[in-house]
Amino acid sequence: MHMAPRNDSCKSCPIRHSAVCAECDADELAILEQVKSYRTYAPGEAIASAGEPLDHLSSLVTGCATMSRTLEDGRRQSVGLLLPADFIGRPGRNVSLYDIEAVSEVTLCRFERLQFEKLVRNTPHIAARLLTMTLDELDAAREMAVTLGRRTAREKIASFLVSLARRQSAATKLSVPKAPVVLHLPLSRHEIADHLGLTIETVSRQLTMLRKTGVIGMVDSRDIAIPDFERLQLEAGEDDGTG
Amino acid sequence: MHMAPRNDSCKSCPIRHSAVCAECDADELAILEQVKSYRTYAPGEAIASAGEPLDHLSSLVTGCATMSRTLEDGRRQSVGLLLPADFIGRPGRNVSLYDIEAVSEVTLCRFERLQFEKLVRNTPHIAARLLTMTLDELDAAREMAVTLGRRTAREKIASFLVSLARRQSAATKLSVPKAPVVLHLPLSRHEIADHLGLTIETVSRQLTMLRKTGVIGMVDSRDIAIPDFERLQLEAGEDDGTG
DNA sequence: CGGTTCATTGAGCCACATCAAGAAGTGTGG
DNA sequence: CCACACTTCTTGATGTGGCTCAATGAACCG
């Protein structure tokens, strides 16, 4: 629970143009500068817990986190993978419905809840951006539901790799990853399993199946080579709705 | 594809206080009155199709619809059950990502897309309400992900009944359904199966299991009696995140 | 009445879970 | 530098929840 970098300028912020502040002009940014604060979390550290108060709203600046629910008997399901620019928390609610856990070292750009809610009310650029981001998350959550409900283990793994590759290349401005060569997995097998509603053993087995059939290559257990992205999409049983 | 009631007054609208217009004042309502139009759909009729243009945004006024995706080989997964007050369509996108299908006779209160987007920009009460509703849908979609990914068939069925009972009693202002006695299922076995990532046979079997163990009673195949709501919640493996 | 659709029930099977055992990496202390 | 513990990943053997296939029943309708 260490405080992080003194307030860096928003101008040099890596998520300046993709986070909730993306549409803000210079004046609005100046206000954000005044009320924001950074905080970092170590890998494995809890950022929020289901049912507990969450009195800051934040943007994830660097690192990776998961959002999950654990049932009484220990079954866990991830409901979202948080990457840079993703927003954490819900304006209008001071309790988290999910556990949010840092997977790698995470830096958040935080706003005190009441202050941020006031900003949302008074800053149309923030409200509009927040709406757009929430709608995008909703699409992603529904896509997840299709995967969890109807895809096979193999398709789930392939889908996961595809969506990860897409998000990674979106961050580097290539909307269609032509040859991302190698994809780094931010999650362990266990975390992937929880994300896809599988067990670690099934995740491991399906990854080796994909490797043995040449769909992917494995540099090491966390780095996946994708020689043919379209073939991977095919394995994912993708149906992007444009049919 | 028949046009529905001439423009009824918003004042007598059944979803006046729960739809996207809920927070509007009299002046704002007057504007909505001018640009809205009603349309009804027969049971089974398509309201939108995945990948096809959707040039109206609407509120569902009466009836019930599903939102789903069908994969090439016919596997179908519902990603949402649309009931009165629910919003259909996404501002800023003119294509639907999902099939939306009337399950019963449906009446929509529709707005032409560009007009509505302008309203969102210029009417904070609408923008704020839309954000709140979108955040609620996001919570629901994530809850769905937990159910699809980690609950057993029996728990899925019980969860579904619980959430249906909650939504039904929310519509009638009781936040905790004390004894809703009998719950009407708006969906067929097939539609329930697609909603829960199961087959019709499993849905049928689990319903009879719940009946045989006394958790529910069946008036007929579409009407379920719930003698003890808490017991049903227990069967659902509910973990509402509050502790 | 037959035809059609929807729900239930049974028998058998299979994809994925569970249980169990290595293997490979990583960090710590001597 | 190695020995050891510990964690993560892989692989194999076996079990099972829910799917598939198939038949029957029940409601509706022309």
Side-chain angles (χ1 to χ4, degrees):
Chain A
M1 198 199 268
H2 37 115
M3 297 306 285
R6 304 278 122 234
N7 276 10
D8 293 346
S9 164
C10 288
K11 278 167 192 155
S12 60
C13 178
I15 58 170
R16 164 72 182 92
H17 298 289
S18 45
V20 71
C21 52
E23 297 175 11
C24 289
D25 57 34
D27 292 352
E28 292 161 345
L29 226 50
I31 299 174
L32 290 179
E33 294 266 19
Q34 287 175 5
V35 300
K36 78 182 186 185
S37 68
Y38 291 105
R39 179 166 165 190
T40 66
Y41 295 80
E45 195 176 347
I47 295 171
S49 298
E52 309 266 305
L54 179 62
D55 45 28
H56 284 81
L57 301 171
S58 356
S59 292
L60 194 151
V61 182
T62 62
C64 174
T66 60
M67 200 174 197
S68 68
R69 161 81 46 84
T70 301
L71 305 182
E72 294 85 346
D73 60 4
R75 284 175 288 175
R76 188 163 78 159
Q77 176 63 50
S78 160
V79 298
L81 183 61
L82 299 167
L83 295 177
D86 284 340
F87 190 76
I88 295 172
R90 171 176 171 154
R93 176 185 291 146
N94 66 347
V95 164
S96 177
L97 289 184
Y98 300 97
D99 297 318
I100 302 178
E101 194 179 320
V103 160
S104 59
E105 176 162 301
V106 162
T107 305
L108 300 187
C109 172
R110 309 190 310 162
F111 307 95
E112 194 279 319
R113 195 172 62 81
L114 292 176
Q115 264 178 337
F116 187 82
E117 287 168 4
K118 195 158 128 191
L119 282 173
V120 171
R121 281 193 300 274
N122 302 332
T123 319
H125 282 164
I126 292 179
R129 178 69 187 144
L130 189 58
L131 178 59
T132 300
M133 291 179 72
T134 305
L135 287 164
D136 286 342
E137 281 182 87
L138 183 55
D139 286 341
R142 286 173 170 161
E143 205 49 54
M144 202 61 213
V146 174
T147 296
L148 290 172
R150 291 299 186 200
R151 294 205 226 261
T152 65
R154 183 173 179 135
E155 291 169 338
K156 284 178 178 181
I157 297 290
S159 294
F160 174 68
L161 295 178
V162 165
S163 98
L164 209 57
R166 287 226 184 90
R167 290 181 73 174
Q168 228 170 255
S169 59
T172 60
K173 294 198 178 83
L174 310 164
S175 71
V176 176
K178 213 45 189 171
V181 189
V182 79
L183 175 66
H184 181 77
L185 302 181
L187 305 182
S188 68
R189 298 292 185 264
H190 196 84
E191 290 155 344
I192 295 172
D194 286 342
H195 193 69
L196 298 174
L198 298 171
T199 59
I200 41 174
E201 294 95 330
T202 298
V203 170
S204 185
R205 271 187 258 268
Q206 295 302 330
L207 280 170
T208 72
M209 290 304 277
L210 289 173
R211 176 170 54 74
K212 285 186 179 169
T213 53
V215 180
I216 62 173
M218 292 188 55
V219 180
D220 63 58
S221 73
R222 290 272 190 148
D223 293 280
I224 305 290
I226 304 175
D228 181 352
F229 195 76
E230 295 200 356
R231 182 156 172 222
L232 184 63
Q233 284 178 302
L234 228 62
E235 291 286 346
E238 287 252 309
D239 179 2
D240 55 11
T242 42
Chain B
M1 200 197 269
H2 36 118
M3 296 307 285
R6 302 277 122 234
N7 275 8
D8 293 347
S9 164
C10 289
K11 279 167 191 155
S12 61
C13 177
I15 58 170
R16 164 72 181 92
H17 298 291
S18 45
V20 72
C21 53
E23 296 174 11
C24 290
D25 58 34
D27 293 351
E28 292 161 345
L29 226 50
I31 299 172
L32 291 178
E33 293 267 19
Q34 286 175 6
V35 300
K36 78 183 185 184
S37 68
Y38 290 105
R39 177 164 168 192
T40 66
Y41 296 80
E45 196 176 346
I47 295 172
S49 297
E52 308 266 305
L54 179 62
D55 46 28
H56 285 80
L57 301 170
S58 355
S59 291
L60 194 151
V61 182
T62 62
C64 175
T66 59
M67 201 175 196
S68 68
R69 161 83 45 86
T70 301
L71 305 182
E72 294 84 349
D73 59 4
R75 283 175 289 174
R76 188 163 78 159
Q77 177 62 49
S78 159
V79 298
L81 183 61
L82 299 167
L83 294 177
D86 284 340
F87 191 76
I88 295 173
R90 170 175 172 154
R93 175 185 292 149
N94 65 348
V95 164
S96 176
L97 289 184
Y98 300 96
D99 297 318
I100 302 179
E101 194 179 320
V103 160
S104 60
E105 176 162 301
V106 161
T107 304
L108 300 187
C109 172
R110 309 191 310 164
F111 306 95
E112 194 280 318
R113 195 172 63 82
L114 292 176
Q115 264 177 337
F116 187 82
E117 287 169 3
K118 196 158 129 190
L119 282 174
V120 171
R121 281 193 299 276
N122 302 332
T123 319
H125 282 162
I126 292 179
R129 178 68 187 143
L130 189 58
L131 178 59
T132 301
M133 291 179 71
T134 304
L135 287 164
D136 286 342
E137 283 181 86
L138 183 55
D139 286 341
R142 286 172 171 163
E143 204 49 55
M144 200 62 211
V146 174
T147 295
L148 289 171
R150 290 299 187 198
R151 292 204 226 262
T152 65
R154 182 172 180 139
E155 289 168 339
K156 285 179 178 180
I157 297 289
S159 294
F160 174 67
L161 295 177
V162 165
S163 97
L164 209 57
R166 287 225 184 89
R167 289 182 75 173
Q168 229 169 252
S169 59
T172 60
K173 293 198 179 82
L174 311 164
S175 71
V176 176
K178 215 44 190 171
V181 188
V182 77
L183 176 65
H184 180 77
L185 302 181
L187 305 182
S188 68
R189 298 292 184 265
H190 197 83
E191 290 156 345
I192 295 172
D194 287 342
H195 193 69
L196 298 175
L198 299 171
T199 59
I200 40 175
E201 295 94 330
T202 299
V203 171
S204 186
R205 272 187 257 270
Q206 294 302 330
L207 279 171
T208 73
M209 290 304 275
L210 289 173
R211 177 170 54 73
K212 284 185 180 168
T213 52
V215 179
I216 61 172
M218 292 188 54
V219 180
D220 62 57
S221 75
R222 290 273 191 148
D223 294 280
I224 305 290
I226 305 174
D228 182 351
F229 195 77
E230 294 200 356
R231 183 156 170 222
L232 184 64
Q233 283 178 301
L234 229 63
E235 291 287 346
E238 288 251 309
D239 179 3
D240 55 10
T242 41

